[in-house]
């Protein structure tokens, strides 16, 4: 918790009440309805009701502000809205020592925790106006964007996860959180993302330290005020404003068990953060593609772009920055898109009549510099107006061959494609794996593209649909772990604590060609294996179980009866298990279908015979993955050799476990996951963005299932008449 003060109240927005009188004919000719500004007095009054400045206190809220002051200027009138004090590292360390002290959220009765979280959701909905106004003033986000998107989704998270406080405790009566959760969320995040950290962590019973960007801090503090109002002690959530994303205090603290990072891990400051035995969750905001086929409704597709690219200042995790258009309708679509952008109103964030809010002066300069560079490289640049705030497009195939796409704040780019496979390859050839929007009236095209896209969320003829109970499994650089849904909660309660520490391990320089060959062959075989019916896969595994049961004496020379029984029983349990992997629901005229897909090629550590995760091996195979076992258990060699022989070629490959082979597998771009049961020396020295494939896994069946598959959600339009409103 933090406290706030302001030395003087910024001037209120002045409305021009002397608009020029016009005739009805003049109004119809211009269709200009005049100016209408948001009233931000609630935000100003909220700020004035605080004392001193935004700062992180150590013992109590009456302390003198500490740290480096940062002035947050109003986006409405350039007056200083508040001063945020960024604490020193030593201050953060002291707070971390205090945050899991006398007041522990877990000690609150589960039913009361659920009730409080539900009340918090209701308070967020009631106080949406204040949050909207704070976002207008501090970050220049349109009020309607916060009101219609960020606030409802934020409230949804607390509503949804409130029930888990009771349900999880009923099933796990002795479970208690060890340590605290540390969340780090930058200014370049939508406000709703705060709920992805706070809601599941509070439902699980954790105390939380939340570090936010300085511009995001006022809105988050307003949420924490509401949390205190409904009964969450202020010691449970401690707010630390900072823009540098420094993690060392959290990594070195014994109190911190989970790090939930909403930052870009492609930063040198995050090198080596794996070497602290913390569970790391991550969601990074990389821009997503919008794919338009020749049979799409081009008018609807072009109209959706304004929302897809510039809503909430483009801070939504799935904001669009690349449009792929089929070549034979490229010019037609581009003409429609230009018309749409020319009629798009750009203005200050407190103007109710604008469609896109003005950028900050810093981002205007970046955009101007980038467009000038693009023009110098021969790239076709379109700007719907003058100045750096105009919606900007980079057009044509030349864009994709220039390094300009690697720049921050890249404008929306428009590229042509010819075939479905080319469109999919262009969409998949990005760092993001969170979402994509597909526009087509052909159901076959929609199904094919959906299957081939390597993303967690696919929107068919729509954009930006999401729900709190929908799990997102960001792939590639979009993140680590699950966000939202039941799996998003499980990340906080189903993980294996690692006690040992890997400190000075170095990546070997010698790469094993046999491991490279094994993974390459596994990739080639996995696609067909994934298409094999579950019944056929079940038959193969059951045949092996029967073989094991009939050859106990031969296999029992090296393996115990108990170990063999575990394999046999697990096979039958796996092939008959019913997971909640496929479900469908209706939301606002759209049907969302969620299903699971195999990860791809999975490496699994199998060390001594007693630590083999049988559920993991069988589950990975049955769900359609290829598996590379790094095995150092000599007694199991013949056993696995027989299993390899009975499966299709390269679906299961066994290689020796050693550091060279682990390093070779870790560096292979074709590996989708590396699953183990202890601290791994290679994981500890890799950059965290490369080490995301490593996961320590428990023996829980649902945890296994979540790690060998990922969730894909497909949204399709079913028409407004198919829904009813209660």
């Amino acid at each position: 918790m933090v406290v706030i003060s302001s030395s003087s109240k910024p001037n209120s927005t002045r409305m021009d009440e002397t608009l020029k009188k016009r005739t009805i004919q003049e109004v119809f000719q211009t269709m200009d309805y005049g100016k209408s500004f948001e009233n931000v007095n609630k935000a100003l009054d909220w700020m004035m009701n605080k004392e001193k400045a935004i700062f992180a206190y150590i013992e109590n809220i009456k302390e003198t502000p500490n740290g480096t002051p940062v002035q947050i200027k109003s986006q409405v009138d350039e007056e200083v809205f508040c001063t945020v004090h960024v604490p020193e590292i030593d201050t953060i360390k002291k707070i971390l020592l205090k945050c899991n002290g006398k007041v522990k959220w877990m000690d609150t009765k589960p039913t009361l925790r659920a009730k409080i979280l539900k009340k918090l959701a209701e308070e967020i909905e009631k106080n949406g106006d204040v949050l909207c106004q704070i976002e207008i003033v501090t970050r220049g986000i349109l009020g309607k964007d916060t009101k219609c998107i960020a606030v409802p989704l934020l409230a949804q998270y607390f509503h949804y996860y409130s029930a888990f406080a009771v349900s999880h405790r009923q099933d796990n009566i002795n479970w208690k959180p060890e340590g605290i959760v540390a969340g780090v969320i930058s200014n370049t995040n939508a406000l709703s993302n705060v709920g992805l950290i706070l809601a599941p962590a509070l439902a699980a019973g954790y105390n939380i330290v939340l570090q936010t960007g300085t511009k995001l801090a006022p809105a988050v503090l307003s949420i924490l005020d509401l949390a205190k109002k409904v009964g969450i002690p202020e010691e449970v959530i401690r707010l630390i404003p900072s823009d540098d994303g420094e993690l060392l205090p959290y990594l070195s603290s014994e109190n911190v068990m989970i790090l939930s990072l909403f930052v870009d891990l492609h930063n040198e400051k995050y090198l080596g953060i794996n070497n602290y035995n913390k569970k790391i969750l991550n969601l990074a905001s990389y821009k997503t593609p919008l794919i338009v086929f020749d049979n799409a409704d081009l008018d609807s597709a072009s109209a959706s772009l304004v929302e897809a690219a510039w809503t909430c200042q483009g801070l939504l995790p799935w904001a669009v920055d690349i449009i792929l258009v089929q070549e034979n309708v490229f010019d037609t679509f581009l003409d429609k898109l230009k018309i749409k952008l020319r009629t798009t109103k750009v203005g200050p964030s407190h103007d109710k009549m604008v469609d896109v809010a003005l950028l900050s002066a810093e981002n205007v300069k970046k955009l101007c510099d980038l467009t000038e560079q693009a023009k110098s490289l021969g790239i076709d640049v379109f700007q719907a107006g003058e100045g750096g705030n105009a919606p900007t497009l980079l057009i044509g195939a030349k864009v994709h061959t220039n390094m300009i796409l690697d720049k921050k704040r890249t404008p929306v780019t428009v590229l042509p494609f010819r075939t479905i496979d080319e469109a999919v390859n262009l969409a998949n050839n990005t760092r993001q794996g969170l979402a994509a929007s597909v526009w087509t009236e052909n159901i076959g095209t929609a199904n094919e593209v959906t299957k081939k896209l390597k993303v967690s969320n696919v929107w068919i003829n729509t954009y930006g649909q999401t729900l709190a109970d929908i799990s997102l499994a960001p792939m590639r650089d979009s993140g680590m772990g699950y966000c939202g849904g039941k799996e998003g909660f499980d990340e906080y309660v189903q993980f294996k604590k690692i006690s040992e520490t890997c400190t000075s391990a170095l990546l070997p320089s010698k790469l094993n060609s046999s491991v490279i060959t094994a993974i390459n062959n596994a990739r080639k075989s996995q696609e067909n294996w994934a298409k094999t019916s579950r019944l056929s896969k079940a038959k193969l595994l059951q045949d092996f179980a029967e073989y094991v049961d009939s050859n106990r004496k031969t296999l029992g020379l090296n393996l115990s009866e108990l170990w063999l029984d575990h394999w046999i029983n697990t096979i039958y349990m796996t092939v008959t298990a019913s997971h909640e992997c496929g479900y469908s629901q209706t939301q606002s005229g759209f049907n969302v279908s969620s299903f699971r897909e195999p990860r791809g090629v999975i490496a699994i550590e199998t060390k001594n015979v007693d630590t083999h995760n049988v559920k993991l091996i069988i589950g990975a195979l049955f769900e359609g993955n290829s598996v590379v076992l790094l095995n150092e258990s000599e007694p199991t060699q013949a056993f696995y050799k027989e299993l390899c022989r009975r499966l299709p070629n390269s679906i299961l490959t066994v290689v020796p476990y050693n550091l060279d082979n682990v390093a070779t597998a870790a560096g292979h771009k074709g590996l989708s996951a590396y699953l183990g049961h202890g601290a791994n020396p290679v994981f500890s020295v890799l950059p965290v963005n490369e080490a995301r494939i490593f996961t320590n896994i428990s023996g829980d069946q649902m945890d296994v299932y979540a790690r060998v598959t990922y969730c894909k959600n497909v949204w399709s339009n079913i028409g407004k008449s198919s829904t009813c409103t209660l």
Side-chain angles (χ1 to χ4, degrees), residues 508-563:
S509 58
K510 180 181 178 182
L511 299 181
N512 192 322
S513 60
S514 63
V515 176
I516 295 174
T517 301
I519 295 177
N520 287 337
N521 290 339
R523 290 184 67 190
K524 295 175 183 177
S525 303
Q526 188 270 330
E527 185 175 349
N528 286 332
W529 178 242
K531 294 177 181 177
T532 303
S533 69
R534 296 176 73 86
L535 186 60
S536 297
K537 287 183 286 191
K539 184 178 183 302
L540 286 172
L541 292 173
Q542 285 180 246
D543 287 345
F544 179 67
E546 292 174 6
Y547 168 82
V548 172
D549 193 33
S550 301
N551 292 272
R552 288 175 177 270
K553 292 183 179 180
T554 303
L555 296 172
L557 294 175
N558 299 316
L559 301 168
S560 68
E561 288 279 331
L562 186 62
W563 196 87

Side-chain angles (χ1 to χ4, degrees), residues 116-128:
I116 289 173
L117 290 179
K118 185 171 179 292
K119 282 185 177 180
L120 178 55
E122 294 167 353
E123 285 296 321
I124 289 172
E125 291 172 335
K126 290 178 184 177
N127 292 273

Side-chain angles (χ1 to χ4, degrees), residues 282-439:
N282 174 241
L283 179 64
S285 297
Y286 291 105
K287 300 302 182 67
T288 61
L290 186 147
I291 308 173
V292 182
F293 288 91
D294 57 4
N295 51 22
D297 181 344
L298 301 184
D299 291 299
S300 296
S302 60
S304 72
L305 179 66
V306 173
E307 177 186 354
W310 292 288
T311 293
C312 294
Q313 287 276 27
L315 299 181
L316 292 171
W318 40 76
V320 165
D321 76 337
I322 181 170
I323 306 174
L324 304 171
V325 186
Q326 199 148 20
E327 192 175 60
N328 56 321
V329 294
F330 186 83
D331 291 336
T332 303
F333 176 81
L334 194 58
D335 289 341
K336 292 178 180 293
L337 183 55
K338 289 179 179 179
I339 292 172
K340 175 61 180 176
L341 294 183
R342 287 191 182 103
T343 59
T344 297
K345 294 183 178 180
V346 181
S349 57
H350 62 295
D351 189 342
K352 294 181 180 181
M353 305 305 294
V354 303
D355 303 303
V356 175
L358 296 173
L359 297 174
S360 65
E362 179 185 4
N363 286 328
V364 168
K365 184 179 185 306
K366 288 180 180 178
L367 185 58
C368 289
D369 291 344
L370 195 145
T371 53
E372 288 302 315
Q373 184 183 357
K375 291 175 182 178
S376 70
L377 294 171
I379 295 174
D380 185 11
V381 178
F382 170 80
Q383 289 187 292
E386 298 180 356
N389 276 295
T392 303
L393 303 176
L394 303 185
I395 303 168
K398 281 188 178 182
V399 177
H400 208 57
T401 59
N402 281 283
M403 291 299 291
I404 197 167
L405 280 180
D406 293 333
K407 301 289 186 180
K408 297 289 185 183
R409 304 288 302 187
T410 302
V412 174
T413 60
V414 190
L415 303 177
F417 69 86
R418 292 183 180 179
T419 66
I420 289 177
D421 284 341
E422 184 182 1
V424 170
N425 289 336
L426 287 170
N428 286 336
N429 188 29
T430 62
R431 290 166 62 179
Q432 78 90 28
L434 185 64
S437 178
V438 179
W439 292 78

Side-chain angles (χ1 to χ4, degrees), residues 648-665:
N649 188 41
S650 299
I651 295 304
L652 176 64
T653 308
V654 182
V655 299
Y657 177 89
N658 56 57
L659 201 56
D660 286 335
N661 288 352
V662 172
T664 303

Side-chain angles (χ1 to χ4, degrees), residues 165-216:
V166 178
S167 64
H168 182 260
R169 188 63 186 273
Q170 289 297 313
D171 295 334
N172 305 270
I173 193 67
N174 295 320
W175 186 89
K176 286 189 176 182
E178 297 185 49
I180 65 172
V181 170
V184 179
I185 182 167
S186 68
N187 286 321
T188 57
N189 278 266
L191 183 62
S192 55
N193 283 358
V194 175
L196 285 172
I197 299 176
L198 292 182
L202 289 171
Y206 286 96
N207 284 23
I208 303 166
V209 172
L210 186 61
Q211 178 174 300
T212 72
T214 54
K215 290 185 178 180
L216 183 60

